[in-house]
Amino acid sequence: MICMIFLGITIYLIRNGKLREQYAILWIILTAVMMLLSLFPSLIDFMAKQIGVSYAPSLLYLLGLISVLFILLHLTIAVSSLSARFIVLTQKIGMLEQENLALRQGNKEFAADSAVQN
């Protein structure tokens, strides 16, 4: 039931534009895995035997930690990309301000030259 509520909240956030699709895919995948493990608890036991974990519920903590690490990695990549874009935009704004200042000074000099000629 909790997984269904979480999935509903995720879809609601996507529809309202508060969560972008590229980030939502990760949340939907994690919700599907949680739902699968809650519907079929024998999967946890099977996975624990395959990995060699003696206490199967502790595997849930490991899976949760791995999920959080993937989310952190995904968000770190997004922040790095945005940081690089921010640097480029800041440089472009600086160049445009410099060009704007040069044009203003050029117009003032042009207006002064034409006033002297008249």
Side-chain angles (χ1 to χ4, degrees):
M1 188 69 171
I2 292 173
C3 294
M4 293 299 289
I5 292 170
F6 191 77
L7 182 63
I9 290 171
T10 304
I11 292 171
Y12 174 77
L13 291 173
I14 293 169
R15 291 184 69 161
N16 286 339
K18 296 186 183 214
L19 182 62
R20 294 192 53 187
E21 293 84 5
Q22 67 185 36
Y23 304 116
I25 290 171
L26 187 61
W27 288 109
I28 291 172
I29 290 171
L30 291 174
T31 303
V33 169
M34 287 190 308
M35 194 177 304
L36 187 68
L37 291 176
S38 65
L39 291 175
F40 303 105
S42 61
L43 285 175
I44 298 170
D45 294 328
F46 175 76
M47 287 173 39
K49 285 181 185 176
Q50 295 298 318
I51 296 173
V53 176
S54 60
Y55 184 61
S58 66
L59 183 61
L60 290 175
Y61 289 111
L62 177 63
L63 292 175
L65 178 64
I66 291 170
S67 299
V68 168
L69 288 175
F70 272 116
I71 291 169
L72 284 173
L73 179 64
H74 183 70
L75 292 177
T76 302
I77 291 169
V79 167
S80 296
S81 171
L82 290 174
S83 178
R85 289 176 61 191
F86 179 75
I87 290 170
V88 170
L89 286 174
T90 304
Q91 291 171 345
K92 285 183 180 180
I93 288 172
M95 290 169 55
L96 288 172
E97 286 178 350
Q98 190 70 23
E99 184 179 317
N100 189 11
L101 182 63
L103 287 174
R104 284 184 184 175
Q105 288 177 350
N107 284 342
K108 287 179 185 176
E109 291 173 7
F110 178 74
D113 288 342
S114 63
V116 170
Q117 291 176 356
N118 291 334

